[in-house]
């Protein structure tokens, strides 16, 4: 499987002032890339070389001999999700379906936030 650093849907300065251009570049271009490079090196010439990221995570989970594989694969997956959750001028209203579920389960957003924290 060929793993690569995902292209962002926004420029490196687009999240400022919440995340500076320098921080985003460091976290995306160097930190995340290191997880990918390590993962590729760990799985090179193994059966996992042909697996999807999710398959690698499931196969390496709780196998102490594959802790390096699991850590790098799961961090690659986590970072992929993180970048998709970020957007310029983000925030705003909660999507209606999520707001309805929060009210049903917690009573209101403030109670949800209190319990989450």
């Amino acid at each position: 499987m060929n793993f690569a650093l995902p292209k962002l849907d926004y420029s490196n300065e687009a999240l400022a002032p919440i995340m500076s251009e320098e921080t985003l570049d460091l976290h995306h271009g160097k930190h995340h890339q290191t997880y990918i490079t390590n993962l590729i090196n760990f799985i090179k010439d193994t059966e996992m070389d042909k697996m999807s990221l999710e398959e690698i995570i499931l196969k390496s989970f709780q196998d102490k001999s594959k802790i390096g594989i699991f850590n790098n694969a799961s961090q690659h997956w986590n970072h992929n999700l993180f970048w998709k959750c970020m957007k310029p001028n983000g925030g705003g209203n909660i999507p209606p379906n999520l707001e309805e579920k929060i009210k049903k389960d917690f009573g209101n957003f403030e109670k949800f936030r209190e319990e989450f924290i």
Side-chain angles (χ1 to χ4, degrees):
M1 185 56 93
N2 186 14
F3 298 110
L5 190 66
K7 182 177 181 337
L8 300 178
D9 294 333
Y10 40 85
S11 67
N12 282 6
E13 66 274 355
L15 302 179
I18 305 303
M19 183 181 288
S20 71
E21 180 178 358
E22 179 182 52
T23 299
L24 193 141
D25 184 53
L26 177 67
H27 200 73
H28 178 260
K30 295 179 179 62
H31 184 75
H32 187 175
Q33 181 61 58
T34 298
Y35 289 125
I36 296 166
T37 301
N38 288 343
L39 174 60
I40 291 167
N41 289 334
F42 273 123
I43 65 172
K44 186 178 180 180
D45 299 325
T46 72
E47 66 176 2
M48 291 185 180
D49 198 21
K50 304 285 188 246
M51 293 181 180
S52 71
L53 186 58
E54 291 80 7
E55 290 171 324
I56 292 169
I57 291 168
L58 291 171
K59 180 124 178 120
S60 61
F61 177 65
Q62 293 187 334
D63 182 339
K64 291 191 186 302
S65 72
K66 293 181 175 53
I67 191 73
I69 294 170
F70 174 76
N71 286 343
N72 286 279
S74 60
Q75 285 301 323
H76 178 35
W77 190 95
N78 288 337
H79 281 75
N80 284 341
L81 176 62
F82 178 73
W83 301 124
K84 290 177 186 174
C85 293
M86 305 291 277
K87 68 179 183 177
N89 303 311
N93 295 331
I94 301 170
N97 292 346
L98 178 58
E99 184 175 23
E100 184 179 311
K101 182 71 173 151
I102 287 172
K103 284 180 181 176
K104 180 177 180 250
D105 292 352
F106 296 93
N108 59 48
F109 183 78
E110 289 73 27
K111 180 72 173 157
F112 161 76
R113 184 177 183 180
E114 178 184 309
E115 289 192 33
F116 183 80
I117 291 171

